[in-house]
Amino acid sequence: MGDFLEMPVQNYSSGMRVRLGFAVAAQMEPDVLLIDEVLAVGDVGVGAKCLARMAELRQKAAFIFVSHSMPQIARISTEVMHLEHGRCVLVTSDLAAGLDSYYESFSSAERATAGTGEVAIADLTASAGQSVAATGGQLAVKSGDDVRIVIDLEFLPGVDNATIQLLVWNQELVPVIEVMGEDLRRVAIRPDADGRCRVTATIVGMQLNSGRFGITVIVLSPDGMRTLCHVDQALELRVTSNLGSGSSLLWPGSWTVEYADRG
């Protein structure tokens, strides 16, 4: 805010006013700090400064943090209260349950199709464990399950080849996984004599955290310059796990634990 201290506050934008208000409140070192969507405005640098200052104040003050951003809730909070139209839906110290409760209050995104239309999805089925779903449906997945997606495509005459990939979005509409071939390239496909092609993608041990995820099917020309078919929300994954960190992915690591010899 230093560059704008001489400017009348009435000329500040709404975002600048929120920054100023947070800056004042953060310097007061209160016993209880109520923060309402302060991180929703400003750039990445402002958000980082706010989080750093909040981490300092958290050692001395109680926080009531109001936000629609579940990653921020997961990062800051130790207990969650889900409010809907002024009514308390859930109070819990289980962050996973709190985040799920919030996301479940919204309907799924609608299916949307774009591209030139030279390739179209005729049918789509998916399976994971005992769960099965079709185009636009919801597939129940346990974290670590193998997910198998079968896509039947129809090509217009004159379209001899293409490439395909899948994109996985989280509940915040952030892409978290690009499903490519084993060589990390888009998979080359071509139609048969009837202009059809069946593609099967198997995602081994999908390490998604608890939440809802949308699948987008993307078919491009071989050079990647034209989108022949782009279908958002072709399928929804409803993933369950026992963790509530707010992250989208779970990843195994190799760990070594050493203990000092205490005699």
Side-chain angles (χ1 to χ4, degrees):
M1 298 298 299
D3 294 337
F4 305 97
L5 286 180
E6 303 303 324
M7 179 186 295
V9 176
Q10 65 185 16
N11 294 336
Y12 281 16
S13 66
S14 58
M16 293 170 68
R17 292 180 184 180
V18 172
R19 293 191 208 185
L20 179 60
F22 178 80
V24 173
Q27 296 304 315
M28 297 177 64
E29 298 189 1
D31 294 324
V32 179
L33 184 60
L34 174 61
I35 304 173
D36 186 359
E37 292 289 6
V38 67
L39 299 181
V41 298
D43 51 32
V44 174
V46 171
K49 288 181 180 180
C50 289
L51 288 172
R53 181 56 179 160
M54 289 164 65
E56 295 177 9
L57 292 175
R58 190 162 48 185
Q59 307 301 320
K60 306 174 183 178
F63 276 73
I64 300 175
F65 181 63
V66 183
S67 179
H68 294 285
S69 173
M70 294 304 101
Q72 292 176 3
I73 292 291
R75 177 170 180 169
I76 295 172
S77 303
T78 58
E79 191 167 351
V80 176
M81 175 185 289
H82 175 201
L83 297 175
E84 189 170 347
H85 301 294
R87 181 177 60 88
C88 180
V89 177
L90 177 69
V91 179
T92 179
S93 57
D94 183 342
L95 293 182
L99 271 57
D100 284 347
S101 175
Y102 174 80
Y103 286 127
E104 286 298 325
S105 64
F106 297 95
S107 59
S108 301
E110 295 184 1
R111 186 182 180 194
T113 302
T116 65
E118 294 172 83
V119 178
I121 296 178
D123 191 24
L124 183 150
T125 58
S127 60
Q130 301 299 315
S131 177
V132 179
T135 307
Q138 186 180 88
L139 182 69
V141 181
K142 293 181 180 179
S143 184
D145 278 354
D146 294 347
V147 177
R148 185 171 183 265
I149 302 174
V150 181
I151 307 170
D152 289 323
L153 300 170
E154 293 181 343
F155 289 67
L156 289 181
V159 182
D160 299 324
N161 47 45
T163 61
I164 188 170
Q165 71 178 89
L166 303 177
L167 194 60
V168 183
W169 303 78
N170 67 10
Q171 293 122 138
E172 302 289 327
L173 302 181
V174 175
V176 293
I177 302 177
E178 285 194 67
V179 183
M180 315 289 277
E182 293 182 354
D183 58 355
L184 295 182
R185 298 177 182 272
R186 291 188 297 269
V187 178
I189 57 176
R190 60 176 60 249
D192 59 18
D194 296 325
R196 301 179 68 89
C197 176
R198 170 168 287 186
V199 181
T200 301
T202 301
I203 308 169
V204 179
M206 178 171 273
Q207 300 291 346
L208 289 172
N209 208 343
S210 179
R212 297 191 304 187
F213 298 83
I215 299 289
T216 294
V217 179
I218 303 173
V219 182
L220 302 174
S221 58
D223 60 6
M225 299 303 293
R226 290 187 301 119
T227 302
L228 309 182
C229 179
H230 183 114
V231 180
D232 285 323
Q233 206 65 19
L235 179 72
E236 182 175 274
L237 305 180
R238 183 65 176 89
V239 183
T240 55
S241 76
N242 59 355
L243 299 178
S245 63
S247 66
S248 296
L249 288 173
L250 304 173
W251 205 261
S254 178
W255 294 70
T256 299
V257 181
E258 298 181 1
Y259 299 95
D261 185 1
R262 300 179 181 177

